[in-house]
Amino acid sequence: MAHNNHHQALNISAQPLPHGGGAGGIDDDGRPKRTGTVWTASAHIITAVIGSGVLSLAWATAQLGWVAGPAAMLLFSFVTYYTSTLLTACYRSGDSVDGKRNYTYMDAVRSNLGGFKVKLCGVVQYVNLVGVAIGYTVASSISMMAIKRSNCFHKSGGKNACHMEGTPYMVSFGIMEIFLSQIPDFDQLWWLSIVAAVMSFTYSIIGLALGIIQVAGNGNFKGSLTGVSIGTVTETQKIWRTFQALGDIAFAYSFSIILIEIQDTIKSPPSEAKTMKKASLLSVAVTTIFYTLCGCMGYAAFGDAAPGNLLTGFGFYNPFWLLDIANVAIVVHLVGAYQVFCQPLFAFIEKFALDRFPDSPFITKDIKIPIPGFRPFKLNLFRLVWRTVFVIFTTTISMLLPFFNDIVGLLGALGFWPLTVYFPVEMYISQKKIQKWSTRWICLQTLSMACLVITIAAAAGSVAGVIQDSKSVKPFHVNY
């Protein structure tokens, strides 16, 4: 939400995942023995990928139509799978099975490419995380409003249009995040991943089920071969929206940013790369089937009028309680996912501050606050100030740009080429010492260039969308 959806998109923490202590052993790097298998790795990937990105797929399919929509999903799944197999080879440095392990995506870039590219990778990753935080704030406030609206609608028997002001919901989401961001070691709360996984499956499956019910109710499949027709939108809008739809799909698939972390939980022998390739294939296949179903059923249900966020499009049909459950699940998922995504960024800034000012009590001193019945809570002033400022910043931007679709498309575009294609291809070339201008080198570079073109188009489409939408929205007044 992984996001996608970058993720998207992604609700596994970017910290090392807990490794089950196997038969009392220690791995070759002195860490507890890893016990992960194809199944656990696949589960982690599927959990990470199926997130808020799935909500915009019906809209994306509607922009592209019955031919290009499913084709684009297949294309992205193929590219994602292929580049993830290149990335699995970069978990260990050097060709050997016993090479040095890289624990994170950034470590892999550092040991394979080094220098300026590590900084570049860091910038892309952190900008993406800030974007995800903004996207999650917008998405959860939309869901909170959908719950409030459907209940208001039912109370008035459909007589009241129930217009909502979105700002208070974004503010309340922000306040929740300010409190949660003060919890130290948030990524160690293992049950969070499980809760997030259950929630994301809950709302995705409800969305799919409601799509199927709607299609059955309509008695036919809506939609056309080429998607939203020119006339409903202008020619220019059709082009921009097609590009933006590609960004939305890219966001929904992105998991490369946590692939190395997941691979770090796998036991060997066989080599981690072999297991991870199988897990990638399995999870990308499952995700693609699920996404194609959600995108196509949503499109079949609503036709060209498919909404930007699938779950707010069913209006106020019965069973409205089912929609409320789905929207509550989104909010719970995003409240936790926001923290999990922001942890690497929080850790990076705090480490940077500590290295820069090691003697400043403002940064180093923990104030112990006793809590009856629990361990005392360690309050750090720097953490309190900086994390609070960060949450206020993302909430403010969300109120200025409350466009779920455009933001998801932009995030998908920005994260897709550098993190899913460019770095994996470059690392693989350097690791396998592939000759410049050899056939293999040319093929890999062609793939990279083609994906760069898609990324630029998708980013342009999303920016055009933001500009278009901001004409009709007053800042800080989000109405539904």
Side-chain angles (χ1 to χ4, degrees):
M1 117 172 113
H3 11 214
N4 198 224
N5 352 52
H6 189 141
H7 232 50
Q8 15 346 132
L10 289 89
N11 29 32
I12 292 189
S13 147
Q15 278 12 46
L17 294 156
H19 308 295
I26 296 287
D27 255 338
D28 56 8
D29 59 345
R31 296 196 175 188
K33 213 157 186 50
R34 290 161 177 79
T35 56
T37 59
V38 171
W39 299 110
T40 60
S42 305
H44 280 316
I45 297 174
I46 293 169
T47 307
V49 178
I50 294 181
S52 53
V54 75
L55 301 174
S56 61
L57 292 176
W59 181 88
T61 310
Q63 307 315 309
L64 299 164
W66 278 120
V67 181
M73 288 199 226
L74 286 175
L75 180 75
F76 275 103
S77 68
F78 173 74
V79 171
T80 305
Y81 168 65
Y82 180 68
T83 57
S84 68
T85 60
L86 301 183
L87 199 52
T88 54
C90 304
Y91 170 63
R92 298 245 186 200
S93 298
D95 274 340
S96 69
V97 185
D98 317 318
K100 182 178 96 48
R101 295 170 187 267
N102 297 309
Y103 299 115
T104 63
Y105 191 97
M106 207 91 153
D107 289 346
V109 175
R110 190 173 291 115
S111 50
N112 286 295
L113 301 172
F116 170 69
K117 286 183 179 167
V118 182
K119 290 198 173 96
L120 185 67
C121 171
V123 169
V124 173
Q125 263 187 323
Y126 295 130
V127 166
N128 221 346
L129 295 177
V130 174
V132 167
I134 295 166
Y136 282 1
T137 309
V138 175
S140 61
S141 70
I142 292 175
S143 288
M144 290 184 216
M145 282 191 285
I147 298 167
K148 187 88 168 59
R149 243 183 114 174
S150 87
N151 295 336
C152 148
F153 208 74
H154 277 272
K155 275 205 183 97
S156 70
K159 292 182 185 62
N160 181 349
C162 297
H163 282 300
M164 295 278 152
E165 171 61 59
T167 310
Y169 294 95
M170 292 196 185
V171 171
S172 56
F173 181 82
I175 291 169
M176 256 187 301
E177 294 303 344
I178 287 176
F179 279 105
L180 289 175
S181 65
Q182 293 309 317
I183 300 175
D185 303 331
F186 197 88
D187 52 283
Q188 306 298 321
L189 305 176
W190 55 268
W191 49 268
L192 247 165
S193 270
I194 297 170
V195 172
V198 171
M199 292 299 152
S200 51
F201 274 109
T202 304
Y203 64 72
S204 306
I205 288 166
I206 291 177
L208 178 59
L210 288 171
I212 295 171
I213 293 166
Q214 182 86 3
V215 170
N218 296 342
N220 64 352
F221 275 64
K222 291 188 174 180
S224 62
L225 293 180
T226 53
V228 176
S229 51
I230 292 171
T232 324
V233 293
T234 62
E235 281 187 21
T236 337
Q237 274 178 320
K238 172 75 178 170
I239 295 170
W240 287 134
R241 284 175 157 208
T242 302
F243 288 160
Q244 192 188 324
L246 294 174
D248 283 6
I249 297 173
F251 177 78
Y253 271 109
S254 55
F255 73 94
S256 50
I257 195 162
I258 53 158
L259 182 133
I260 301 275
E261 276 90 344
I262 294 173
Q263 194 165 342
D264 189 40
T265 63
I266 293 174
K267 64 176 178 199
S268 60
S271 76
E272 298 91 354
K274 263 195 189 138
T275 310
M276 197 63 193
K277 271 181 192 159
K278 283 184 194 153
S280 298
L281 182 61
L282 184 67
S283 47
V284 170
V286 170
T287 308
T288 305
I289 293 166
F290 190 69
Y291 278 0
T292 313
L293 277 173
C294 283
C296 292
M297 275 304 162
Y299 184 38
F302 295 109
D304 292 351
N309 174 339
L310 184 61
L311 286 171
T312 53
F314 289 99
F316 308 104
Y317 308 123
N318 288 323
F320 74 103
W321 54 267
L322 191 61
L323 270 176
D324 287 353
I325 291 174
N327 281 306
V328 168
I330 290 180
V331 175
V332 173
H333 172 204
L334 297 182
V335 165
Y338 180 101
Q339 287 302 326
V340 168
F341 263 92
C342 293
Q343 290 304 314
L345 181 63
F346 289 164
F348 172 73
I349 297 286
E350 281 149 32
K351 184 176 178 308
F352 177 79
L354 194 61
D355 292 347
R356 193 44 78 82
F357 309 104
D359 303 328
S360 157
F362 173 63
I363 293 172
T364 53
K365 194 169 175 230
D366 281 344
I367 301 164
K368 289 195 171 162
I369 300 173
I371 304 173
F374 289 97
R375 283 183 308 193
F377 178 74
K378 290 183 186 157
L379 182 72
N380 176 300
L381 284 179
F382 176 68
R383 189 173 69 211
L384 178 70
V385 173
W386 130 250
R387 292 188 181 191
T388 304
V389 168
F390 175 80
V391 176
I392 293 171
F393 168 75
T394 55
T395 311
T396 311
I397 301 282
S398 309
M399 290 191 248
L400 284 168
L401 303 171
F403 322 119
F404 177 67
N405 261 57
D406 305 328
I407 291 186
V408 163
L410 190 58
L411 282 176
L414 294 178
F416 173 67
W417 179 70
L419 298 172
T420 306
V421 185
Y422 173 75
F423 284 118
V425 164
E426 292 299 309
M427 290 196 284
Y428 186 76
I429 287 176
S430 125
Q431 173 128 15
K432 299 285 181 220
K433 305 189 175 47
I434 296 169
Q435 285 292 311
K436 222 176 190 175
W437 306 113
S438 63
T439 318
R440 228 172 145 192
W441 187 88
I442 291 171
C443 290
L444 286 167
Q445 294 296 359
T446 311
L447 170 77
S448 187
M449 283 300 113
C451 292
L452 174 62
V453 172
I454 294 174
T455 283
I456 293 170
S462 303
V463 170
V466 169
I467 294 168
Q468 183 67 34
D469 289 346
S470 46
K471 287 177 187 160
S472 58
V473 169
K474 286 206 269 297
F476 302 112
H477 287 284
V478 194
N479 290 314
Y480 284 88

